[in-house]
Amino acid sequence: MKKTNLKLSFIALSALLVMSCHDELDQTPIDPDSVTEQDVFADANQAKGALAKLYSSLALTGQQGPAGQPDISGIDEGFSQYTRMLYNLNELTTDHAVVGWGDPGLPDLHGMSWSSGNDFTEAMYYRLAQEVSFTNSFIGNAVLLTDPVVEQYIAEARFLRAFAYYNLMDLYGNVPLSTEISTELPEQANRSEIFDFIEQELLDIQNTLAADGSNEYGRVDQVAAWALLSKLYLNAEVFKGEARYNEAVEFSEKVINSTYSINTNDANGNGSAYDELFLADNNVNGAQNEFIFTLNFDGLQSQTYGGTTFLTHASIGGNMDAREYGVNSGWAGLRTTKSLVNKFDVSDEALNNSFTTSSNWAIIGDATPNDWSAPDTDMYEVGTNVYQLFVTLTDGEMKFRRDNDWAVNYGGSEGVAELNGGNISVDAGRYLITLDLANNTYSLESIYNNLPDARAMFYTDGQTLEIEDIPPFEQGFAVTKFKNIDSNGNQGSDNTGNFVDTDYPVIRLPEIYLNYAEATLRGGNGNQATAVNLINEIRERAYGNSSANITAADLTLEFILDERSRELYWEGQRRTDLIRYDLFTTDTYLWPFKGDVQNGVSVPEFRSLFPIPNDLLSINPNLKQNEGY
């Protein structure tokens, strides 16, 4: 794992804790003759090396790098990485994403028509089951050591086990609950029992974990336990059938009052600190200040075809230049739907309000709001002989004109402005139009590349907002959120451009701000003024100023859901959020290709859970399949 003193002791614990694709949550790990438990847990130093495997099993996929000797069989190794599966199950199934690849079972995720034998839902289950098995084995062996520091290692392992169960409960509902290695086939626990187990584990370990902010980067401290409790309690009505919003507020406050802080360091000087969160040096550029739980990646030392390597490569295609994102190629797969893009929607009028100086230049034509008739649509002066306007155009033609008078007009083509030149052909869309008479040029740039919210990270050149057919990459805007360049514009450590350095924030502070606000509105004993201030802290970072700050009247549950979308998209949160709002399966909220229909349709409610893998049902008669599968 990058950027930490934790060693990747694959040879030791990995050999000790090998698990096949068909193992149960409590299966005894294989113990090769060449590696014994006594070797791995000889002392605290060896135990720390073994602890690294528990973290790395969520980041990596096998024993020798991106491919070969996988931890999980039965699926392409790169597909099986945890955050790649989290994206597939929690983002691709929602309004945030589509993918053009046709791998069996993959199109079914966005179409919400997966079967009980879907490779990707099975892979995630086995990845999480493996983490439970690894942590159980670690805890069972480490507890025999008497060194006090090992108590903290055990607490970290218990956190990772609780985190794995949080995912299993969220994604699959009723699963076996196993806390030790056993040859007995486990009984199936219900969601409420899993909830209670996670809650008690986190409460028990909160003061045994490293103190707030004191652990090595990449390892959890007590704030991570509070943050996971915040998430757990916010979703308690779904998971357990009872409201726990007071507790959601309580543990959100603990996190908010910790040493973690929103990153406001604009290290690359582009006017926003938001993009720093997803760059190759996000462990040192200030972003780490808000990262509560991360998975660490290094293009040379921890290679995988999942993680941020997947999110970066797979989002590049069409006219995009992969080198600008620090990689050697695009995989031309992932895009987003207009439903996410529209979360950032700002009216032309509001955008034009950012201009302060009116001008006597304007646009006219059948593509413009007033056709060829006066009054022309006025532009604004933004520099000496430079004029701009945000505007929605239709298919047609336009020209630039001064003082509503044909005596002085400019037309042209290919960006060259010519006095009395020909009409300029335009396609329908929303644009920032620039006329630069100092250089006799003009440009029409997609409005979506110029939105004031820095979180709107889309590539639109050659991309359509509407998606009529999912496979072509050019349909749907591309997302440029994750990059393999650092704050100075340098490529990550792998100069081949294959693998990415960017760390993945599993939990970061703004999510907990949003948890506090939502729990308060849902009846928790938080303070609404505090909630407004927290939301505004997030939005001031996004806008670079207070121009988009909200008031108490703006703070609604719908607003919070949309703000979660804007702040956290493609970070593995969306499906859980939509389920909590009762929007995931119903016709109350539709998005493109929901239910595999272009304009979206409702789907059966049972889709709120994924199926238990069929192999497990055949192995363990104690298990019952989720309804509908």
Side-chain angles (χ1 to χ4, degrees):
M1 297 171 74
K2 175 181 83 166
K3 313 150 184 168
T4 173
N5 293 326
L6 261 180
K7 297 187 300 179
L8 282 177
S9 293
F10 286 117
I11 296 176
L13 195 66
S14 297
L16 186 64
L17 303 181
V18 172
M19 178 180 178
S20 78
C21 181
H22 304 297
D23 284 335
E24 275 281 13
L25 283 175
D26 70 338
Q27 289 295 289
T28 304
I30 297 171
D31 185 1
D33 293 336
S34 59
V35 181
T36 68
E37 293 174 354
Q38 288 74 23
D39 294 330
V40 178
F41 295 95
D43 54 39
N45 187 57
Q46 294 298 317
K48 184 180 180 183
L51 177 66
K53 177 59 183 179
L54 307 186
Y55 285 97
S56 66
S57 66
L58 292 175
L60 306 180
T61 55
Q63 311 309 313
Q64 67 176 32
Q69 298 185 35
D71 287 334
I72 296 172
S73 62
I75 190 170
D76 177 274
E77 183 174 338
F79 285 173
S80 74
Q81 192 269 334
Y82 165 72
T83 61
R84 183 166 179 171
M85 289 299 96
L86 186 68
Y87 178 92
N88 285 343
L89 301 191
N90 260 11
E91 299 285 342
L92 189 56
T93 57
T94 76
D95 55 338
H96 278 183
V98 297
V99 63
W101 304 327
D103 303 85
L106 192 58
D108 297 339
L109 294 178
H110 191 268
M112 303 185 80
S113 58
W114 55 82
S115 70
S116 59
N118 184 279
D119 286 347
F120 300 94
T121 63
E122 287 189 351
M124 182 57 140
Y125 187 99
Y126 290 125
R127 176 62 60 189
L128 295 168
Q130 172 190 261
E131 182 72 357
V132 171
S133 180
F134 283 4
T135 53
N136 282 344
S137 182
F138 178 91
I139 294 165
N141 286 284
V143 74
L144 301 176
L145 296 174
T146 58
D147 193 318
V149 74
V150 177
E151 292 183 22
Q152 179 186 314
Y153 299 163
I154 293 171
E156 290 180 54
R158 290 173 69 184
F159 172 89
L160 293 171
R161 182 173 63 185
F163 178 75
Y165 269 118
Y166 175 89
N167 282 261
L168 285 162
M169 173 183 62
D170 179 20
L171 297 168
Y172 303 98
N174 305 332
V175 296
L177 178 57
S178 235
T179 59
E180 58 186 23
I181 300 300
S182 170
T183 57
E184 298 294 324
L185 291 176
E187 298 291 330
Q188 191 168 19
N190 62 45
R191 244 181 171 182
S192 181
E193 292 169 327
I194 301 294
F195 182 102
D196 291 344
F197 168 76
I198 298 168
E199 177 187 25
Q200 193 58 54
E201 282 287 279
L202 296 173
L203 292 173
D204 285 349
I205 65 175
Q206 59 179 318
N207 294 322
T208 310
L209 289 165
D212 173 7
S214 68
N215 213 345
E216 297 172 286
Y217 177 79
R219 291 171 58 191
V220 296
D221 59 23
Q222 64 182 165
V223 180
W226 300 338
L228 189 52
L229 282 165
S230 167
K231 293 164 65 78
L232 184 74
Y233 291 132
L234 184 66
N235 290 283
E237 283 198 275
V238 174
F239 295 155
K240 192 174 172 63
E242 62 183 50
R244 302 289 295 275
Y245 297 117
N246 284 341
E247 292 94 332
V249 167
E250 175 188 353
F251 282 91
S252 295
E253 282 182 325
K254 285 178 175 289
V255 176
I256 293 164
N257 294 329
S258 73
T259 61
Y260 291 85
S261 61
I262 298 291
N263 173 47
T264 57
N265 179 34
D266 180 16
N268 62 8
N270 70 347
S272 169
Y274 183 78
D275 68 335
E276 311 286 344
L277 305 176
F278 311 101
L279 297 181
D281 60 345
N282 61 352
N283 64 306
V284 294
N285 65 14
Q288 76 278 7
N289 295 329
E290 69 180 62
F291 290 174
I292 297 169
F293 178 31
T294 64
L295 298 180
N296 298 354
F297 295 99
D298 185 288
L300 297 177
Q301 302 301 321
S302 55
Q303 297 179 345
T304 174
Y305 289 112
T308 50
T309 290
F310 161 70
L311 289 170
T312 304
H313 278 280
S315 306
I316 299 170
N319 296 330
M320 302 172 72
D321 185 349
R323 293 170 298 181
E324 294 182 5
Y325 305 93
V327 293
N328 58 11
S329 64
W331 299 348
L334 307 180
R335 292 98 65 207
T336 193
T337 76
K338 66 180 181 182
S339 295
L340 173 59
V341 175
N342 288 340
K343 298 292 187 296
F344 298 93
D345 191 25
V346 179
S347 70
D348 296 342
E349 179 182 8
L351 290 170
N352 286 322
N353 284 340
S354 65
F355 298 126
T356 58
T357 306
S358 59
S359 79
N360 57 352
W361 280 94
I363 60 171
I364 188 171
D366 59 7
T368 70
N370 293 325
D371 208 295
W372 289 106
S373 304
D376 301 354
T377 305
D378 293 336
M379 303 183 73
Y380 300 85
E381 187 171 10
V382 297
T384 304
N385 292 322
V386 180
Y387 310 92
Q388 288 188 325
L389 173 71
F390 288 100
V391 66
T392 299
L393 302 177
T394 59
D395 290 331
E397 297 178 325
M398 58 159 279
K399 297 192 79 173
F400 300 97
R401 191 164 74 154
R402 190 177 69 188
D403 296 324
N404 295 328
D405 187 349
W406 284 113
V408 182
N409 73 87
Y410 277 81
S413 62
E414 297 181 353
V416 177
E418 301 173 346
L419 184 65
N420 298 319
N423 296 343
I424 300 169
S425 296
V426 298
D427 296 325
R430 298 184 67 198
Y431 296 95
L432 170 63
I433 299 179
T434 302
L435 173 64
D436 182 353
L437 291 181
N439 296 293
N440 287 337
T441 61
Y442 71 89
S443 65
L444 282 75
E445 187 177 1
S446 170
I447 194 175
Y448 299 104
N449 294 335
N450 296 279
L451 292 175
D453 190 332
R455 300 171 297 184
M457 304 170 80
F458 305 119
Y459 185 91
T460 65
D461 183 20
Q463 306 291 130
T464 62
L465 178 62
E466 296 285 346
I467 302 174
E468 296 182 358
D469 189 19
I470 288 181
F473 184 85
E474 292 75 13
Q475 297 199 27
F477 285 177
V479 170
T480 61
K481 187 168 181 173
F482 292 89
K483 304 177 181 67
N484 188 38
I485 57 174
D486 66 18
S487 301
N488 296 313
N490 300 314
Q491 185 184 44
S493 61
D494 178 14
N495 59 21
T496 70
N498 285 319
F499 300 101
V500 170
D501 282 352
T502 309
D503 294 341
Y504 184 94
V506 180
I507 307 176
R508 56 187 181 87
L509 186 57
E511 178 192 350
I512 309 304
Y513 281 17
L514 291 158
N515 288 3
Y516 178 94
E518 183 180 335
T520 297
L521 280 190
R522 290 188 183 275
N525 56 4
N527 181 280
Q528 188 169 6
T530 299
V532 169
N533 290 337
L534 293 171
I535 297 297
N536 283 337
E537 186 177 345
I538 295 172
R539 291 177 68 79
E540 285 177 17
R541 196 251 304 268
Y543 283 81
N545 54 51
S546 60
S547 62
N549 282 16
I550 66 167
T551 67
D554 301 313
L555 190 66
T556 64
L557 286 173
E558 181 180 7
F559 174 86
I560 292 173
L561 180 62
D562 287 347
E563 191 69 9
R564 291 183 72 91
S565 187
R566 289 183 285 264
E567 179 69 26
L568 301 169
Y569 69 96
W570 285 31
E571 296 181 51
Q573 308 274 356
R574 186 59 170 171
R575 169 191 155 274
T576 308
D577 289 346
L578 291 176
I579 290 173
R580 189 172 64 254
Y581 276 76
D582 196 25
L583 298 174
F584 184 61
T585 59
T586 66
D587 61 4
T588 307
Y589 176 48
L590 301 177
W591 57 83
F593 290 93
K594 178 179 182 177
D596 210 23
V597 173
Q598 183 174 353
N599 293 324
V601 294
S602 63
V603 300
E605 196 277 333
F606 74 81
R607 294 288 178 192
S608 293
L609 287 175
F610 294 106
I612 304 294
N614 286 330
D615 289 342
L616 296 188
L617 300 176
S618 63
I619 293 171
N620 186 354
N622 297 327
L623 303 184
K624 180 181 178 182
Q625 182 59 279
N626 287 328
E627 181 182 352
Y629 297 105

